[in-house]
Amino acid sequence: MRRFATLLSAPAALLAVCLGGCVPGSRAPDTETPPQPGFPVRATIATDHAGVPHITARDQASLFYALGYVEGRDRLWQLQYWRAISEGRSSEFVGNDGLQSDGFFRAMGLVARCDRAWAGLPAESVLRRRARAFTAGLNAYIAEVRAGRRPLPREFRLTGTRPGPWRESTTLQLLFLQGVNLDLSTAAAGRDSWAKANGVAAVRRRWALCADDLQYVTLPSPAAGGAARVARGAAGGRAAAEAAGGDRSDAADGDTGPVARRMAALRLWGPGASNEFAVGGSRTVSGKPLLANDAHLEHLTPSQWYAVALEVPDTLVAAGFTVPGIPLVVSGRNRDAAWGVTALGADVSAVTAESLSADGKSALHAGRWERIREVKLDLSYRLGPFRFPLFWVKARIAPHGVLLSEDRKARRALALDWYPLRDHEFRTGSLEPERATSAQAAVDAFGGIPTPTLNLVAADRAGHLAYRTVGWVPGQQRPRSPLPEPGWEPASEWAAPIPADSMPAGTDPATGYFVNCNNRPAGPEYPYALSDFYMDYRALRVDELLRAAAPLDVRGLQRVQLDVASPQWRRFAPRFLEAVAGEKLSEEAGRARMALAAYDGRPDSMTLAPVIFRTWYAETRGRFGPVSMDGFLDAVLDGRAGPAGPGDSTSGPAFSRLMAGTLERAVKRLHRTLGPLGMNWAWGRAHRAHFEHALEKRDPKLAPPDVWVAGDNQSVNVGTMPLSKLPRVSAGPSMRHISDLAQDSTVLLVIPPGNSGDPASPHFADHLEAWARGRYMPVRLGRLPAHEVESVVELDLPRR
């Protein structure tokens, strides 16, 4: 198998000396002088005691100039690193570990795609105007750093780099980078490998069982009398969570093939999952709507979000979260409306099987052979102060995208095709949710975003709720296969995008609330096969809690958002235990079984059972291969699945021995990682969130201390603990937001570990304990009173 980018070992790099010489030193720092803004700037940045900057400006140009300036102050390393990832230059910052990522992004041509889209935007579009002002402000701060008037962040000193000037179009690059993270999938490649060993029929049989398992829909079906469910077997679309990683961490090993390993090396910030729900006034104490949003991403330092409050008197007042580098409040509120966002995870990427010519230089497409393009990646391997060019490493690009793997003997290859790279017409819409006066206007403000694909939920003070999905999604009439599509067949080609006004949307549901937790947007009446979907546990649990609750207030909404009940425990633990009830186990596994049998399922930091169950569950899923989501496990335990694998039985003594074997493996894994069975296995000690920094191996102080968190992989309050990182919780709520539309003065936010990316700042990790304990920071809309101000920066620049 050939790979388009190979992460070389040190010996191979030494070979490069003989083959191609060396390039001394690192890339020279960019010395371009940042341009002056070209417009007068007058703004005040008052930072509160939670580290949230409150920007008050004379006009929107000044406002977003100040936002660029203050994001430079708090997130300069992160901004430069993200830009480098999108441009295929991350190895300049993280060394040779970034070569896989760099090769991938250079092969994709992401920068060229964004430049083309940027060039087509009207000069006075909202996105251009905001990016122009933001870039000027960020470059002003960068100029101060380069001149020595502001400190150079520690990461630049560690890597021997300096921040370079920002481009306006980088805003679009970072937007597309979010799309890569949330929507790109190579899961079909892993299933392809499994199918070769186990048969295509086995994959399709399992896939159907998993598809039947996804029932919850956000938009109530008229045919179902308003119920937010679809019948088993009527789900449509593709089944599983693997595409954007929502349930990927539950497997012990999952797909560990070469394609999966390469994608894992991209160093992005998935897996992506989130919760959002808006409750109408008929279900609240105040008679006004409430809205909650928490986005689930990899635990990283700095955060993938930036909390800010914005004000232009008589024009705009808002507070919430931006994505660093993108001047837009993605989740937040203003005086009249609140909005939140989750990943739709639409079916916008495809792994396609390509038929190769005998010489491997062409692929069969639309009935004729098309030449495979070879692209030099211009990568280099660093060894000490030297760089060695990897001139032989190239990308091969077939009609359906970059080749991920090739089997020349079988004349077959796998290509990755990502829909946003197609040159569809690019319109950005209003992109001004901060000025929305209604729930409908808030969700419509995101209507022009091409990527990532998103679910938007909003509420307003008039009592209305709105839901909308956005992004470029192909109008497929049939679900795509769980396996790679044959690239030589016409059916493998993308359809035209679904018209924006035909994407799932709705207002003021009869239930009195909208819930979306990455679940299916609409039922079987929807004409397009939209997406891979996550497990719907969180949506079902939120729906259950909202239906059961008395009229809700903010505290009630917090209890829903922080719920840690484990739906997988409730579904599987009794049957797992029943399967091994008569089995003879090792002494330690027998004690683990006793701990599980005595547990009542209620979260308790000092019990051992949750850690044992999570590990046993994951080992069991890993034993059954890459298509083993919970619908399949359910069928296995019920005897509906047929053989779980070659030579396996899903009934009788043989299956009991299989389940006993996965329990023994789980106990051995825990013993190796945590020591002998004892209090080190307790949930409160073995389930700790770690916020990773890309450079923490060089300087451990760049990452904050680990902290215990309560939720598990599928609870509403998610705490994802993949076995490869045991006992660290690697993903969960990357922020939380609650808005009460009964008042217009504050929004509740928390952003772990803190709002600053500077380890020397008091706001580097000051939200971490509050986040772990389920507390929120009230952030004021509008000007801060003097006693709430921690520091002030005044920006007053005349027109030049």
Side-chain angles (χ1 to χ4, degrees), residues 42-56:
R42 186 169 299 164
T44 300
I45 305 169
T47 301
D48 66 20
H49 295 291
V52 177
H54 295 246
I55 304 173
T56 305

PDB file of all heavy atoms in Angstrom, residues 42-56:
ATOM      1  N   ARG A  42     -12.233  54.010  17.418  1.00  0.00           N
ATOM      2  CA  ARG A  42     -12.433  54.456  18.797  1.00  0.00           C
ATOM      3  C   ARG A  42     -13.190  53.365  19.529  1.00  0.00           C
ATOM      4  O   ARG A  42     -14.351  53.092  19.232  1.00  0.00           O
ATOM      5  CB  ARG A  42     -13.204  55.774  18.852  1.00  0.00           C
ATOM      6  CG  ARG A  42     -13.316  56.348  20.275  1.00  0.00           C
ATOM      7  CD  ARG A  42     -13.850  57.759  20.245  1.00  0.00           C
ATOM      8  NE  ARG A  42     -12.954  58.636  19.499  1.00  0.00           N
ATOM      9  CZ  ARG A  42     -13.307  59.834  19.042  1.00  0.00           C
ATOM     10  NH1 ARG A  42     -14.543  60.285  19.237  1.00  0.00           N
ATOM     11  NH2 ARG A  42     -12.437  60.584  18.368  1.00  0.00           N
ATOM     12  N   ALA A  43     -12.506  52.711  20.462  1.00  0.00           N
ATOM     13  CA  ALA A  43     -13.107  51.595  21.187  1.00  0.00           C
ATOM     14  C   ALA A  43     -12.474  51.471  22.561  1.00  0.00           C
ATOM     15  O   ALA A  43     -11.310  51.842  22.770  1.00  0.00           O
ATOM     16  CB  ALA A  43     -12.938  50.295  20.411  1.00  0.00           C
ATOM     17  N   THR A  44     -13.246  50.931  23.498  1.00  0.00           N
ATOM     18  CA  THR A  44     -12.772  50.639  24.847  1.00  0.00           C
ATOM     19  C   THR A  44     -12.929  49.147  25.095  1.00  0.00           C
ATOM     20  O   THR A  44     -13.995  48.573  24.846  1.00  0.00           O
ATOM     21  CB  THR A  44     -13.583  51.412  25.896  1.00  0.00           C
ATOM     22  OG1 THR A  44     -13.439  52.810  25.659  1.00  0.00           O
ATOM     23  CG2 THR A  44     -13.103  51.088  27.303  1.00  0.00           C
ATOM     24  N   ILE A  45     -11.855  48.528  25.575  1.00  0.00           N
ATOM     25  CA  ILE A  45     -11.875  47.106  25.930  1.00  0.00           C
ATOM     26  C   ILE A  45     -11.750  47.010  27.438  1.00  0.00           C
ATOM     27  O   ILE A  45     -10.675  47.219  28.004  1.00  0.00           O
ATOM     28  CB  ILE A  45     -10.731  46.335  25.257  1.00  0.00           C
ATOM     29  CG1 ILE A  45     -10.753  46.532  23.741  1.00  0.00           C
ATOM     30  CG2 ILE A  45     -10.796  44.861  25.613  1.00  0.00           C
ATOM     31  CD1 ILE A  45      -9.502  46.025  23.035  1.00  0.00           C
ATOM     32  N   ALA A  46     -12.857  46.726  28.109  1.00  0.00           N
ATOM     33  CA  ALA A  46     -12.873  46.588  29.567  1.00  0.00           C
ATOM     34  C   ALA A  46     -13.022  45.109  29.897  1.00  0.00           C
ATOM     35  O   ALA A  46     -14.052  44.493  29.564  1.00  0.00           O
ATOM     36  CB  ALA A  46     -14.022  47.390  30.166  1.00  0.00           C
ATOM     37  N   THR A  47     -12.028  44.520  30.519  1.00  0.00           N
ATOM     38  CA  THR A  47     -12.062  43.093  30.850  1.00  0.00           C
ATOM     39  C   THR A  47     -12.628  42.909  32.251  1.00  0.00           C
ATOM     40  O   THR A  47     -12.213  43.592  33.187  1.00  0.00           O
ATOM     41  CB  THR A  47     -10.659  42.490  30.760  1.00  0.00           C
ATOM     42  OG1 THR A  47     -10.158  42.682  29.431  1.00  0.00           O
ATOM     43  CG2 THR A  47     -10.678  41.010  31.072  1.00  0.00           C
ATOM     44  N   ASP A  48     -13.591  41.987  32.386  1.00  0.00           N
ATOM     45  CA  ASP A  48     -14.207  41.766  33.693  1.00  0.00           C
ATOM     46  C   ASP A  48     -13.397  40.750  34.500  1.00  0.00           C
ATOM     47  O   ASP A  48     -12.365  40.237  34.043  1.00  0.00           O
ATOM     48  CB  ASP A  48     -15.678  41.358  33.556  1.00  0.00           C
ATOM     49  CG  ASP A  48     -15.874  39.998  32.890  1.00  0.00           C
ATOM     50  OD1 ASP A  48     -14.931  39.184  32.856  1.00  0.00           O
ATOM     51  OD2 ASP A  48     -16.994  39.742  32.397  1.00  0.00           O
ATOM     52  N   HIS A  49     -13.878  40.427  35.701  1.00  0.00           N
ATOM     53  CA  HIS A  49     -13.116  39.555  36.597  1.00  0.00           C
ATOM     54  C   HIS A  49     -13.155  38.092  36.178  1.00  0.00           C
ATOM     55  O   HIS A  49     -12.438  37.271  36.755  1.00  0.00           O
ATOM     56  CB  HIS A  49     -13.634  39.720  38.025  1.00  0.00           C
ATOM     57  CG  HIS A  49     -13.407  41.097  38.581  1.00  0.00           C
ATOM     58  ND1 HIS A  49     -12.150  41.582  38.896  1.00  0.00           N
ATOM     59  CD2 HIS A  49     -14.269  42.115  38.852  1.00  0.00           C
ATOM     60  CE1 HIS A  49     -12.243  42.825  39.346  1.00  0.00           C
ATOM     61  NE2 HIS A  49     -13.520  43.173  39.335  1.00  0.00           N
ATOM     62  N   ALA A  50     -13.963  37.752  35.173  1.00  0.00           N
ATOM     63  CA  ALA A  50     -13.971  36.399  34.620  1.00  0.00           C
ATOM     64  C   ALA A  50     -13.085  36.299  33.383  1.00  0.00           C
ATOM     65  O   ALA A  50     -13.031  35.252  32.738  1.00  0.00           O
ATOM     66  CB  ALA A  50     -15.394  35.971  34.278  1.00  0.00           C
ATOM     67  N   GLY A  51     -12.399  37.391  33.034  1.00  0.00           N
ATOM     68  CA  GLY A  51     -11.520  37.389  31.870  1.00  0.00           C
ATOM     69  C   GLY A  51     -12.229  37.629  30.561  1.00  0.00           C
ATOM     70  O   GLY A  51     -11.649  37.418  29.494  1.00  0.00           O
ATOM     71  N   VAL A  52     -13.485  38.088  30.608  1.00  0.00           N
ATOM     72  CA  VAL A  52     -14.251  38.328  29.387  1.00  0.00           C
ATOM     73  C   VAL A  52     -14.119  39.789  28.987  1.00  0.00           C
ATOM     74  O   VAL A  52     -14.477  40.681  29.772  1.00  0.00           O
ATOM     75  CB  VAL A  52     -15.737  37.972  29.590  1.00  0.00           C
ATOM     76  CG1 VAL A  52     -16.542  38.287  28.326  1.00  0.00           C
ATOM     77  CG2 VAL A  52     -15.884  36.502  29.969  1.00  0.00           C
ATOM     78  N   PRO A  53     -13.595  40.106  27.797  1.00  0.00           N
ATOM     79  CA  PRO A  53     -13.495  41.497  27.363  1.00  0.00           C
ATOM     80  C   PRO A  53     -14.858  42.035  26.927  1.00  0.00           C
ATOM     81  O   PRO A  53     -15.593  41.366  26.204  1.00  0.00           O
ATOM     82  CB  PRO A  53     -12.527  41.435  26.178  1.00  0.00           C
ATOM     83  CG  PRO A  53     -12.640  40.058  25.661  1.00  0.00           C
ATOM     84  CD  PRO A  53     -12.979  39.177  26.824  1.00  0.00           C
ATOM     85  N   HIS A  54     -15.165  43.226  27.380  1.00  0.00           N
ATOM     86  CA  HIS A  54     -16.374  43.941  26.970  1.00  0.00           C
ATOM     87  C   HIS A  54     -15.930  45.092  26.094  1.00  0.00           C
ATOM     88  O   HIS A  54     -15.285  46.031  26.572  1.00  0.00           O
ATOM     89  CB  HIS A  54     -17.140  44.449  28.192  1.00  0.00           C
ATOM     90  CG  HIS A  54     -17.689  43.360  29.058  1.00  0.00           C
ATOM     91  ND1 HIS A  54     -19.034  43.132  29.221  1.00  0.00           N
ATOM     92  CD2 HIS A  54     -17.056  42.402  29.805  1.00  0.00           C
ATOM     93  CE1 HIS A  54     -19.216  42.105  30.028  1.00  0.00           C
ATOM     94  NE2 HIS A  54     -18.034  41.645  30.401  1.00  0.00           N
ATOM     95  N   ILE A  55     -16.267  44.997  24.815  1.00  0.00           N
ATOM     96  CA  ILE A  55     -15.797  45.988  23.843  1.00  0.00           C
ATOM     97  C   ILE A  55     -16.935  46.954  23.534  1.00  0.00           C
ATOM     98  O   ILE A  55     -18.012  46.534  23.093  1.00  0.00           O
ATOM     99  CB  ILE A  55     -15.314  45.315  22.545  1.00  0.00           C
ATOM    100  CG1 ILE A  55     -14.222  44.278  22.848  1.00  0.00           C
ATOM    101  CG2 ILE A  55     -14.822  46.351  21.553  1.00  0.00           C
ATOM    102  CD1 ILE A  55     -13.817  43.448  21.642  1.00  0.00           C
ATOM    103  N   THR A  56     -16.692  48.217  23.776  1.00  0.00           N
ATOM    104  CA  THR A  56     -17.649  49.268  23.424  1.00  0.00           C
ATOM    105  C   THR A  56     -16.987  50.146  22.370  1.00  0.00           C
ATOM    106  O   THR A  56     -15.873  50.640  22.579  1.00  0.00           O
ATOM    107  CB  THR A  56     -18.034  50.104  24.645  1.00  0.00           C
ATOM    108  OG1 THR A  56     -18.518  49.238  25.674  1.00  0.00           O
ATOM    109  CG2 THR A  56     -19.115  51.114  24.287  1.00  0.00           C
TER     110      THR A  56
END
